[in-house]
Amino acid sequence: MKNFEIQGLNFKFLVVYVLCSVLCALPFKAFPLTAEEVVKKSQEAFFYQGKDSKARVLMKLISKSGQERVRELTMLRKNYGASGGEQKYFMYFYQPVDVKDMTFMVYKYPAKDDDRWLFVPAINMVRRIAAQDKSSSFVGSDFTYEDVSGRDIEDDNHTLTKEEKLDAKDCYVIKSAPKAQDVDYAYKLSWIDKGTFLPLKEEYYDKKGELYKVFSADEIKDVKGFPTITKRAMKNLSSGHRTEVTYVKADYNIGIEDSLFSERFLKQPPKKWIE
Amino acid sequence: MSKIRSTEQRAQNTDRGSRTSQCQLPVIWCLSILLSVFFSLTAEAADVSLHGFVQGNYSVNTDTSNPDSGDFKWGEERFQIKLEASKGSARLFLKTNIFYDHINELDGVELKEGFVDFAAEKWDARIGRQIITWGLGDLIFINDIYPKDYEAFFSGRPLEYLKKGVDALKIGLYPAFASLELIVIPIFEPNNFPDPKRFHMFDPMPTVINRREVEPSVKIDNTEIALRAYRDVAGFDGSIYFYRGFHRQPSMLPDSMTMPVKITLFYPDLSVYGASLQGRALDGVLSLEAGYYDSRQDRDGKDPMIPNSQTKYLIGYQRQLWEDFTIGFQYFGEYMHDYSEYRKNLPSGFPGEKRLHDLIALRLTQFLKHQTLRLSFFSFYSPTEDDYLLNPEIKYNFSDYLWAAAGANIFGGGEEWNQFGQMDKNDNIYTQIRYEF
């Protein structure tokens, strides 16, 4: 009886021990991520870091012949809900001079069209603008609106094609093919850093399967604990046009008020946010 | 667009030259007041930015010469300085133009805008000359009761010159339930209509050349008040509007209906009550706006010289069809109340207006070459009057600093007294070139 009890105790102990080991091991065990999970984590790291963010952005639009045009803006973002959820964007333009003081606001919704407003200072007017085409160029650059604020995960079929090193960093290589014909590319390959989940490179292929556009993350810095792409470029191989983007300043969790995203502040942006 | 009623323009621009030179004194006066107010508030050095442009703007007839036999509708060089200074919660903004007008051979200074802003958490205020834009129409104005320069529009000047500044106080209040804008305008500013020396237009009493314009005098009773309240309404941007002031287009008062020798042009009392909604619908942006024009000096509609009360409404829809191509469609109607009284009292020989005047507007815009090249087409067509305006334009940005545009204004159709029909002989092509710094 005593023996049995000891045996029973031993048996229970064994069961608990095994269960504990399994439970404790779970977080550390590298179950392979699905392609969707990689893309989700990448979006979180790329478009949703922090509760909010602020960046002073310098865009250089460079033509094939080398002629440069400059767009300089402050971009403020606030998240509403979890990663992949609603966001609001507020942009204030410093350059070029003909759009100085222009502001632009986006309410971004998952799985439906965004709301967009533009403030035109010369006639002191705030207007909604039609925003159906997500693949439209952002201010004439090689980046699209989706490149700036992200694309719905459900809009593409994602597959993990391989895992390889890029610039000595382990990467997932994800192929994303749009389910609908709503963008210019047939599919996109993304090299997503396993450490930071930031995209280090993206290749865009046209309907003939030819590579025509390349994104590269050229500098990554740590800002308040968030790895941030501070230099990036998009090159259009067929037109020879390219856009280089530098985050002159970046910050996170700065307490942007909900009221910022309003007609009042589109017309008169608070100085503290655009300095 | 408020109807360009023939006649009235004539007297309005007769003293263009003297007006321009007269306006230089108030400009300097306004500037010095604004500067002193701003700098008295801001003891320390402020953040200052200075920008501006140099611009050439020319428009030439393609149909016939002007009434005064000239061939140019517009011809000027212009230098604009935009000064901005801010300190704490105060901001100063000045936009001043210096120009040389080749047609009238005169130079002048214009204060386009000049104001001081104060901002607090729950309110803000702007005092001085400012441009205010209300309502949703694209070149169609219902609740935007602020002064316009239609001559600028028909002469091929950049679109921003369609809006005139008003000397006003604007107070913004931002309680939780809605945002409010209160505008107080102590000094009346009329619309500017095309100069009859340059534009062929209809005049029902062309023989009466003795005309005098009387603007509402500056006194408490004549202070114009406008109020707008706006907020989100189920995902749409909703606004309600109120205005109490004057028609900005003059009415004619002949000294005799049978044998007139003198005409007084005056601005009748007007109140406007309106509302608008704008939001995402049908894969585009849908706009709805309406306004009731209460013509307070002719409420029973019996005075044929003063506009009757009207209801105006607008439906607009804008959609992006493919990359960088947008189409905008608008339908606008203005319905005259007490129409039978108007018909009964209309003097014989005067062309009568219809009970309903409507307009269809179409705008097509295509950007090309990384949005440096813009092709646009705008048209008005009135189904009730059968007259039209066509405005194709091409604009190219050579660099971040230099752009040029060329376009045409083509008018026609309808009767010689209709809004665009009367402009039939005024077709013109124009160019604008601007270097910004």
Side-chain angles (χ1 to χ4, degrees):
Chain A
M1 185 72 183
K2 197 178 178 185
N3 209 11
F4 175 77
E5 273 178 10
I6 291 165
Q7 277 177 342
L9 193 67
N10 279 346
F11 178 70
K12 279 182 198 162
F13 176 76
L14 188 69
V15 170
V16 170
Y17 174 79
V18 169
L19 270 176
C20 278
S21 326
V22 169
L23 287 174
C24 292
L26 265 179
F28 304 107
K29 173 129 179 77
F31 282 118
L33 292 170
T34 65
E36 275 76 19
E37 284 165 341
V38 172
V39 175
K40 193 163 188 299
K41 278 176 162 285
S42 178
Q43 288 219 340
E44 210 173 307
F46 198 22
F47 298 109
Y48 283 87
Q49 311 100 313
K51 291 185 189 114
D52 56 30
S53 74
K54 175 185 174 181
R56 175 88 172 225
V57 180
L58 190 67
M59 299 184 103
K60 281 187 185 170
L61 286 57
I62 305 160
S63 73
K64 195 178 180 178
S65 62
Q67 195 199 0
E68 267 187 28
R69 291 183 295 133
V70 172
R71 306 280 172 271
E72 190 178 6
L73 61 142
T74 282
M75 181 155 73
L76 298 148
R77 162 178 63 78
K78 184 165 184 175
N79 295 349
Y80 289 80
S83 171
E86 262 184 62
Q87 289 182 317
K88 290 179 182 175
Y89 286 83
F90 186 103
M91 297 174 210
Y92 170 85
F93 286 83
Y94 306 89
Q95 284 195 75
V97 278
D98 67 333
V99 298
K100 187 182 177 298
D101 295 332
M102 191 178 88
T103 51
F104 180 61
M105 181 167 76
V106 181
Y107 285 13
K108 185 180 146 54
Y109 309 104
K112 70 171 182 178
D113 285 338
D114 302 341
D115 282 319
R116 293 182 193 165
W117 293 263
L118 182 72
F119 169 63
V120 185
I123 47 175
N124 191 23
M125 176 186 76
V126 171
R127 274 288 180 281
R128 271 190 189 245
I129 54 173
Q132 210 212 347
D133 189 352
K134 296 171 178 177
S135 65
S136 279
S137 155
F138 178 72
V139 297
S141 74
D142 295 285
F143 290 90
T144 65
Y145 279 94
E146 285 189 335
D147 294 327
V148 176
S149 60
R151 177 170 165 86
D152 290 336
I153 294 176
E154 295 78 25
D155 286 352
D156 302 315
N157 290 315
H158 306 281
T159 43
L160 180 62
T161 57
K162 58 184 169 183
E163 297 179 23
E164 66 177 25
K165 276 193 193 297
L166 181 73
D167 301 332
K169 286 174 185 155
D170 285 321
C171 290
Y172 297 106
V173 183
I174 303 280
K175 181 179 176 179
S176 304
K179 291 174 186 169
Q181 295 287 314
D182 61 341
V183 284
D184 294 338
Y185 56 91
Y187 67 93
K188 173 176 91 168
L189 291 181
S190 310
W191 279 256
I192 294 169
D193 185 343
K194 286 185 176 181
T196 62
F197 282 92
L198 288 173
L200 303 183
K201 184 168 87 159
E202 289 173 344
E203 292 182 346
Y204 293 80
Y205 291 85
D206 64 16
K207 269 115 200 162
K208 290 180 207 148
E210 304 232 351
L211 175 67
Y212 76 100
K213 209 165 78 166
V214 178
F215 165 87
S216 58
D218 302 321
E219 184 184 87
I220 296 172
K221 282 186 181 165
D222 184 275
V223 180
K224 276 195 183 167
F226 298 101
T228 303
I229 300 175
T230 47
K231 278 188 184 170
R232 71 193 71 187
M234 187 74 90
K235 286 179 194 165
N236 190 315
L237 306 176
S238 49
S239 70
H241 198 279
R242 70 181 198 275
T243 302
E244 296 174 0
V245 177
T246 306
Y247 278 22
V248 183
K249 276 186 274 184
D251 205 353
Y252 295 100
N253 294 335
I254 43 175
I256 298 173
E257 308 90 354
D258 291 338
S259 62
L260 174 72
F261 304 94
S262 64
E263 177 178 328
R264 176 192 182 186
F265 292 120
L266 272 175
K267 287 180 167 175
Q268 281 174 262
K271 230 175 119 187
K272 65 171 178 177
W273 293 128
I274 59 167
E275 270 174 334
Chain B
M1 179 185 291
S2 63
K3 194 157 176 170
I4 289 163
R5 266 164 197 256
S6 49
T7 53
E8 303 92 20
Q9 303 88 336
R10 201 146 279 228
Q12 220 179 337
N13 289 300
T14 42
D15 289 323
R16 170 172 298 267
S18 61
R19 259 194 181 208
T20 305
S21 52
Q22 277 166 13
C23 79
Q24 295 185 18
L25 262 179
V27 168
I28 294 159
W29 182 76
C30 286
L31 280 176
S32 52
I33 288 190
L34 285 167
L35 285 168
S36 54
V37 167
F38 181 75
F39 287 107
S40 64
L41 284 164
T42 59
E44 294 166 45
D47 295 339
V48 179
S49 85
L50 188 70
H51 290 280
F53 61 69
V54 188
Q55 174 182 283
N57 188 187
Y58 315 93
S59 170
V60 64
N61 292 311
T62 55
D63 196 341
T64 58
S65 296
N66 294 337
D68 70 356
S69 79
D71 287 318
F72 282 84
K73 288 274 187 271
W74 201 258
E76 66 159 29
E77 287 88 42
R78 185 167 283 260
F79 176 55
Q80 181 178 93
I81 293 177
K82 202 166 78 177
L83 174 78
E84 240 183 304
S86 61
K87 180 75 198 165
S89 54
R91 170 174 168 249
L92 171 80
F93 184 89
L94 293 173
K95 205 187 247 187
T96 311
N97 286 339
I98 301 165
F99 62 87
Y100 185 77
D101 170 357
H102 291 272
I103 296 173
N104 293 304
E105 293 179 343
L106 61 89
D107 55 315
V109 183
E110 262 176 21
L111 180 67
K112 189 91 175 94
E113 289 173 80
F115 55 77
V116 175
D117 274 332
F118 309 91
E121 197 191 331
K122 291 284 173 203
W123 64 276
D124 53 30
R126 174 171 291 182
I127 183 162
R129 184 165 298 176
Q130 50 191 298
I131 287 173
I132 305 170
T133 303
W134 282 3
L136 307 176
D138 177 6
L139 301 178
I140 293 177
F141 306 106
I142 297 176
N143 291 297
D144 188 321
I145 39 67
Y146 302 102
K148 320 282 183 312
D149 186 345
Y150 289 107
E151 181 181 62
F153 178 55
F154 295 141
S155 304
R157 300 182 65 191
L159 207 51
E160 68 206 62
Y161 289 96
L162 172 60
K163 295 285 297 182
K164 288 171 82 177
V166 278
D167 298 325
L169 165 69
K170 185 185 83 172
I171 294 171
L173 300 169
Y174 307 96
F177 65 95
S179 299
L180 302 166
E181 274 183 309
L182 171 70
I183 318 285
V184 180
I185 307 171
I187 306 161
F188 176 79
E189 181 71 29
N191 286 345
N192 186 36
F193 292 100
D195 182 346
K197 284 182 284 185
R198 275 182 263 178
F199 284 82
H200 300 271
M201 284 171 300
F202 180 72
D203 188 338
M205 291 190 264
T207 52
V208 187
I209 49 166
N210 182 3
R211 295 178 186 208
R212 191 171 66 96
E213 184 193 351
V214 182
E215 287 183 12
S217 57
V218 181
K219 57 177 181 179
I220 287 285
D221 287 353
N222 286 346
T223 299
E224 298 163 66
I225 302 281
L227 184 66
R228 172 182 172 228
Y230 60 100
R231 60 160 293 156
D232 173 85
V233 183
F236 275 65
D237 305 331
S239 292
I240 52 171
Y241 311 86
F242 167 72
Y243 168 70
R244 187 184 165 89
F246 305 93
H247 287 274
R248 292 202 195 272
Q249 169 176 308
S251 288
M252 300 169 73
L253 185 66
D255 54 349
S256 150
M257 286 312 275
T258 45
M259 293 287 287
V261 291
K262 185 182 165 194
I263 292 171
T264 305
L265 297 159
F266 72 107
Y267 298 87
D269 298 344
L270 173 71
S271 293
V272 180
Y273 307 84
S276 69
L277 271 181
Q278 188 175 49
R280 200 163 24 79
L282 309 164
D283 291 332
V285 173
L286 182 69
S287 308
L288 302 170
E289 186 178 352
Y292 175 70
Y293 276 52
D294 176 10
S295 191
R296 301 201 314 269
Q297 275 174 269
D298 186 27
R299 278 193 167 137
D300 53 13
K302 287 181 177 157
D303 189 335
M305 296 297 137
I306 297 177
N308 284 18
S309 294
Q310 286 176 302
T311 297
K312 304 190 183 199
Y313 48 92
L314 167 78
I315 300 167
Y317 176 65
Q318 191 205 342
R319 182 172 174 177
Q320 190 172 17
L321 289 185
W322 56 78
E323 179 165 3
D324 287 337
F325 178 80
T326 312
I327 180 166
F329 171 85
Q330 298 179 93
Y331 177 78
F332 166 73
E334 43 188 354
Y335 180 89
M336 192 194 294
H337 296 283
D338 307 304
Y339 187 71
S340 54
E341 291 298 326
Y342 165 77
R343 287 311 292 193
K344 240 187 274 173
N345 291 286
L346 188 69
S348 59
F350 269 65
E353 290 178 32
K354 292 183 175 152
R355 189 192 296 261
L356 174 71
H357 170 239
D358 64 2
L359 278 179
I360 291 171
L362 181 69
R363 182 184 289 281
L364 309 174
T365 311
Q366 171 79 64
F367 283 96
L368 295 163
K369 293 182 171 289
H370 289 274
Q371 300 179 3
T372 54
L373 178 64
R374 186 186 72 192
L375 305 176
S376 67
F377 174 80
F378 183 84
S379 67
F380 273 129
Y381 170 71
S382 169
T384 47
E385 315 291 348
D386 196 34
D387 61 340
Y388 60 83
L389 158 70
L390 311 175
N391 174 218
E393 191 182 274
I394 177 167
K395 183 184 175 201
Y396 183 65
N397 283 66
F398 293 94
S399 71
D400 279 345
Y401 305 99
L402 181 68
W403 63 257
N409 287 305
I410 302 153
F411 311 90
E415 304 288 348
E416 59 173 331
W417 56 82
N418 290 153
Q419 186 175 13
F420 304 116
Q422 65 173 313
M423 303 288 286
D424 194 16
K425 292 181 190 161
N426 297 301
D427 295 353
N428 61 75
I429 51 171
Y430 60 84
T431 70
Q432 305 153 358
I433 181 160
R434 185 182 285 185
Y435 178 83
E436 307 206 35
F437 59 87

